[in-house]
Amino acid sequence: MCQLLGMNSFLPASLTLSFTGFSQRGGCTDHHADGWGIAFFESESATPDKPGKGVRYFVDKEGASTSPIAKMLRSYPIKSHNVVAHVRKATVGAVTLENCHPFVRELWGRYWVFAHNGDLKDYAPSLHGSFKPVGNTDSELAFCWLLQELAKSHVGVPTVQELTRTLAELVPQIAKHGTFNFLLSNGQALWAHASTKLYYVLRQHPFTEVHLKDDDVKVDLASLNSPQDRLAIVVTEPLTTNEAWIAMAPGELQVFVDGALAGCSCSTRMPWLSQPLTASSSASTNMAATSNPV
């Protein structure tokens, strides 16, 4: 199967450290060499501390450990509030560029980015709206159906809380067909759903030294980050050997806003969402953005 990597940050941050370790799983330390991709939601230069709507997007059918594009990204810091990345082990769909995750679509005047790990059996939903797959993966099909149903459920752009509630109702309809670990972002938040295996870690002050699992790299985050920095990393398998990664439970849906858990979790086996999202908004804070690796 494939592997997922996501980041949600309070201030715009680069993902160079985490991507350095993660990309090695695309054919070096693991066998996920059938393509890879990454998408960054970038802030506007006039408002660098506010989450942006624009997406910088890279995909490649070559393995991430050997791809020249991935090599460039391991050393080129792109600052973002929300990032979704994927390394692929093809199970459904050929090894082609159009089948590389993440997938990107527009809804309500915002880009949406989606990446999936798992196999969906006998999954053939009816698509009757404007969202159609370009490739032939079960993952892109699921993404198109999710956006179609979100568009039917809300007239305009809903709040993050409303979106989480709707996703908790829709996701079980897909997950009953098989393994449905996924990451989803519209630039405002990062949603993560676990069917089998997904971990997250919250990094904030006081920062510590971290040791990458897939590369011989140690970094003292305390020397690179300010006390205001705060972020969440979500991944299929922990990226470091000395951090307290938290395993998500099967059927658990989490939403991250401004580098923190957004006040509640949601079980897609028993959908509920009653608490307000409490993470503070970076849009109301005028701080210098970080460019440090996470």
Side-chain angles (χ1 to χ4, degrees):
M1 290 188 184
C2 309
Q3 291 214 8
L4 304 168
L5 168 65
M7 182 195 77
N8 173 266
S9 181
F10 174 50
L11 297 174
S14 68
L15 197 65
T16 50
L17 175 65
S18 294
F19 185 70
T20 293
F22 182 72
S23 63
Q24 295 307 305
R25 299 177 181 181
C28 182
T29 60
D30 216 329
H31 55 267
H32 304 85
D34 297 329
W36 66 277
I38 190 168
F40 305 83
F41 283 93
E42 292 194 62
S43 301
E44 297 296 331
S45 58
T47 55
D49 297 331
K50 296 182 180 180
K53 293 166 56 173
V55 172
R56 194 187 296 250
Y57 176 48
F58 302 88
V59 290
D60 192 352
K61 64 180 181 180
E62 186 174 334
S65 64
T66 56
S67 165
I69 302 173
K71 181 180 179 181
M72 180 270 292
L73 292 174
R74 286 193 287 268
S75 60
Y76 180 66
I78 297 176
K79 293 187 289 185
S80 177
H81 286 273
N82 290 280
V83 181
V84 174
H86 182 273
V87 290
R88 183 174 185 236
K89 175 64 177 177
T91 54
V92 177
V95 181
T96 58
L97 198 61
E98 63 265 28
N99 286 334
C100 292
H101 310 217
F103 305 103
V104 180
R105 294 291 193 279
E106 178 274 332
L107 174 61
W108 300 310
R110 297 196 71 96
Y111 287 117
W112 289 73
V113 173
F114 174 87
H116 165 228
N117 162 33
D119 290 324
L120 302 174
K121 306 298 184 183
D122 302 317
Y123 182 63
S126 175
L127 296 179
H128 48 77
S130 58
F131 303 105
K132 303 291 185 181
V134 176
N136 56 356
T137 64
D138 52 355
S139 307
E140 189 180 16
L141 185 61
F143 180 39
C144 290
W145 183 83
L146 272 178
L147 291 186
Q148 171 183 282
E149 298 305 304
L150 284 174
K152 288 164 57 177
S153 300
H154 303 279
V155 176
V157 183
T159 65
V160 171
Q161 182 177 2
E162 291 170 332
L163 282 167
T164 307
R165 183 181 295 113
T166 304
L167 285 170
E169 296 172 352
L170 295 175
V171 167
Q173 300 179 52
I174 302 174
K176 67 183 180 182
H177 290 274
T179 304
F180 196 46
N181 304 299
F182 73 78
L183 297 176
L184 174 71
S185 181
N186 66 351
Q188 297 174 309
L190 176 68
W191 287 269
H193 177 263
S195 280
T196 54
K197 186 183 294 185
L198 209 56
Y199 294 82
Y200 67 88
V201 68
L202 303 176
R203 292 177 179 166
Q204 59 188 356
H205 181 77
F207 293 95
T208 61
E209 182 180 79
V210 296
H211 306 167
L212 286 183
K213 180 179 179 181
D214 298 271
D215 208 340
D216 186 20
V217 174
K218 298 180 181 180
V219 174
D220 182 9
L221 295 180
S223 66
L224 298 173
N225 291 274
S226 72
Q228 290 78 31
D229 287 312
R230 182 176 69 241
L231 57 115
I233 302 290
V234 187
V235 71
T236 302
E237 293 277 0
L239 291 169
T240 56
T241 59
N242 64 326
E243 290 186 284
W245 292 86
I246 299 171
M248 292 178 60
E252 182 179 353
L253 176 68
Q254 289 281 12
V255 57
F256 301 86
V257 177
D258 290 336
L261 288 171
C264 60
S265 64
C266 198
S267 170
T268 58
R269 294 185 174 184
M270 189 181 300
W272 60 270
L273 184 62
S274 59
Q275 301 179 28
L277 301 181
T278 57
S280 59
S281 172
S282 61
S284 63
T285 307
N286 185 18
M287 297 179 180
T290 181
S291 61
N292 299 320
V294 297

